[in-house]
Amino acid sequence: RSPGNLVFFDDLGHVGIVEDEDSFFHSATSKGTSRGAFSGYWDRLVTGYRSLDGLEQAPPKPVKKGR
């Protein structure tokens, strides 16, 4: 796991962003954006990591305003 990698969590449909070897950022329903630790609860649920290096960014989609 490297800073900036995405971290995926088992059966939660949950993704975070690795900060460093010990922690990550994620969005928690009750707390908003928060910092988590790769220990205990979260460490058991990690299913993988993915680097975004080299991935091509898709152009933004136009936003439809009002209906």
Side-chain angles (χ1 to χ4, degrees), residues 14 26-33:
H14 197 71
H26 66 117
S27 178
T29 304
S30 61
K31 299 177 185 177
T33 303

Side-chain angles (χ1 to χ4, degrees), residues 1-17:
R1 57 185 169 221
S2 299
N5 284 169
L6 297 179
V7 55
F8 297 88
F9 299 95
D10 183 44
D11 296 331
L12 296 177
H14 197 71
V15 178
I17 301 172

Side-chain angles (χ1 to χ4, degrees), residues 1-50:
R1 57 185 169 221
S2 299
N5 284 169
L6 297 179
V7 55
F8 297 88
F9 299 95
D10 183 44
D11 296 331
L12 296 177
H14 197 71
V15 178
I17 301 172
V18 176
E19 177 185 25
D20 56 34
E21 187 62 29
D22 301 318
S23 59
F24 62 96
F25 292 103
H26 66 117
S27 178
T29 304
S30 61
K31 299 177 185 177
T33 303
S34 63
R35 188 178 188 200
F38 288 115
S39 62
Y41 176 77
W42 290 110
D43 198 43
R44 292 190 311 262
L45 298 173
V46 172
T47 56
Y49 302 91
R50 172 122 190 223

Side-chain angles (χ1 to χ4, degrees), residues 59-65:
K61 293 182 180 179
V63 176
K64 294 180 181 177
K65 296 184 179 184

